[in-house]
Amino acid sequence: MRQNSMIRQLGNKGIFMLGFLISVGMAPLSADRSVSQIFAEERTKQGDLLFKKAKEFLEDRNHYQSVESCKSFLILYPGHPRTREVRKALSSNYRMTGDILALAENELKIYKEYPNTEEGLESYLISGKAYVRMGREDKAHQIFQDIIKNTYSSKIAQEAELELTQMEILGESKNK
């Protein structure tokens, strides 16, 4: 008898909780939304918030905080729809802080993630330019040659040819 009253109390509490959850929009899952879908949506929202925070730090010229937020994003949210934007923000931060090696490496990662896009090819070109700035002409030469031989974008290929020509001119002036 005592057991039946406990079950009744739990049942009443359960009905109350169900009503409460429905009123705040957190009803049990319907058939058309699975737990994994809800988790993915919330994960995307959290990633968006972290990216927004990184952009705000960038706009406030707090580059080191922005870099940390971008790095956290890339670790916590791999495969997020805004990954490319986060990598671009990270490159902007590296450019502003003068971290040329990190800029080159990040741009190479963008290229590796998006090799068949105009933006990916442009990132490859930027990484080559960064290697020139670091004095690693051999690596830059290799990148520019690769762009010229294997790219479908004439604009980026022309820029790579221009960079190679400039490197050759600078190399000749160094030898004189």
Side-chain angles (χ1 to χ4, degrees):
M1 187 162 172
R2 187 170 185 205
Q3 204 172 25
N4 286 340
S5 80
M6 283 178 63
I7 292 172
R8 214 175 300 124
Q9 283 181 334
L10 287 175
N12 291 339
K13 286 180 184 177
I15 291 171
F16 173 76
M17 285 303 294
L18 180 61
F20 174 74
L21 291 173
I22 289 172
S23 69
V24 296
M26 296 177 62
L29 301 176
S30 63
D32 54 334
R33 286 188 68 194
S34 69
V35 173
S36 61
Q37 286 175 322
I38 292 172
F39 180 73
E41 289 169 8
E42 289 303 313
R43 186 174 166 83
T44 300
K45 287 178 190 176
Q46 290 173 357
D48 289 342
L49 289 173
L50 186 56
F51 176 58
K52 182 180 176 185
K53 185 177 177 182
K55 281 186 1 185
E56 288 172 0
F57 283 132
L58 178 61
E59 290 167 4
D60 292 342
R61 298 178 191 260
N62 189 346
H63 300 290
Y64 295 103
Q65 282 296 102
S66 184
V67 165
E68 290 305 314
S69 295
C70 289
K71 285 181 177 179
S72 295
F73 178 97
L74 293 170
I75 291 169
L76 295 172
Y77 305 106
H80 191 280
R82 293 190 183 260
T83 301
R84 185 185 308 193
E85 294 173 71
V86 171
R87 286 228 175 262
K88 282 301 193 182
L90 192 56
S91 288
S92 294
N93 283 302
Y94 288 143
R95 201 172 285 114
M96 298 304 282
T97 59
D99 192 347
I100 305 304
L101 177 60
L103 171 65
E105 290 173 351
N106 189 57
E107 291 293 333
L108 278 176
K109 287 178 184 174
I110 293 171
Y111 171 69
K112 287 178 182 175
E113 290 175 10
Y114 309 101
N116 298 324
T117 65
E118 190 80 17
E119 191 172 12
L121 291 170
E122 191 167 325
S123 291
Y124 200 34
L125 181 69
I126 291 169
S127 68
K129 290 178 181 180
Y131 281 115
V132 169
R133 287 178 60 192
M134 288 186 295
R136 294 188 55 195
E137 286 90 8
D138 55 332
K139 180 75 172 171
H141 190 271
Q142 175 188 356
I143 290 172
F144 296 142
Q145 286 292 339
D146 190 34
I147 290 171
I148 292 166
K149 289 178 185 172
N150 301 320
T151 189
Y152 59 85
S153 172
S154 62
K155 176 187 166 221
I156 293 176
Q158 287 174 347
E159 285 186 52
E161 284 182 49
L162 180 63
E163 290 293 326
L164 275 176
T165 304
Q166 289 176 349
M167 284 175 58
E168 289 171 5
I169 292 170
L170 288 173
E172 289 173 5
S173 67
K174 286 181 187 177
N175 293 335
K176 288 183 179 182

